[in-house]
């Protein structure tokens, strides 16, 4: 049994710089606490970002993409990410 509660990181993404995005995601992967998920809410076409996330994280199941291609703007896109948080998250 883990001593750490399960948590969620929500990222709102719109056309991120690939190198900065890589550094951000690999930094998250390198954390010593492992009981978390990262919900990446994509404002716009999710396919390019999903491909980038898959390449960067090498299939790490803790990273999850949400979005249907709709442009919502920053606030509503972040809200979509918050609505996708796993119910186990503390």
């Amino acid at each position: 049994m883990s001593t750490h509660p399960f948590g969620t990181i929500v990222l709102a993404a719109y056309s991120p710089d690939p190198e900065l995005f890589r550094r951000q995601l690999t930094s998250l992967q390198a954390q010593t606490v492992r009981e978390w998920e990262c919900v990446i809410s994509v404002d716009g076409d999710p396919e390019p970002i999903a491909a980038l996330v898959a390449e960067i994280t090498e299939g790490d199941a803790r990273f999850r993409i949400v979005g249907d291609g709709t442009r919502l703007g920053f606030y509503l896109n972040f809200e979509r990410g918050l609505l996708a948080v796993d119910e186990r998250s503390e």
Side-chain angles (χ1 to χ4, degrees):
M1 181 107 194
S2 172
T3 60
H4 297 287
F6 183 81
T8 301
I9 301 153
V10 177
L11 300 178
Y14 173 75
S15 190
D17 175 280
E19 182 53 34
L20 294 177
F21 199 51
R22 177 180 306 282
R23 289 170 48 191
Q24 184 176 31
L25 298 185
T26 56
S27 175
L28 291 173
Q29 279 186 302
Q31 299 302 306
T32 56
V33 173
R34 310 291 295 166
E35 295 81 15
W36 53 266
E37 68 170 346
C38 179
V39 174
I40 302 168
S41 182
V42 180
D43 199 19
D45 183 7
E47 293 305 316
I49 294 176
L52 189 57
V53 169
E55 174 192 324
I56 294 168
T57 66
E58 299 176 348
D60 188 332
R62 295 175 299 173
F63 292 86
R64 188 162 46 98
I65 305 294
V66 296
D68 60 7
T70 306
R71 284 292 317 269
L72 298 175
F74 175 77
Y75 292 105
L76 293 177
N77 183 43
F78 189 71
E79 183 178 72
R80 174 175 43 204
L82 291 173
L83 292 171
V85 169
D86 188 296
E87 63 185 27
R88 298 175 296 150
S89 189
E90 294 185 32

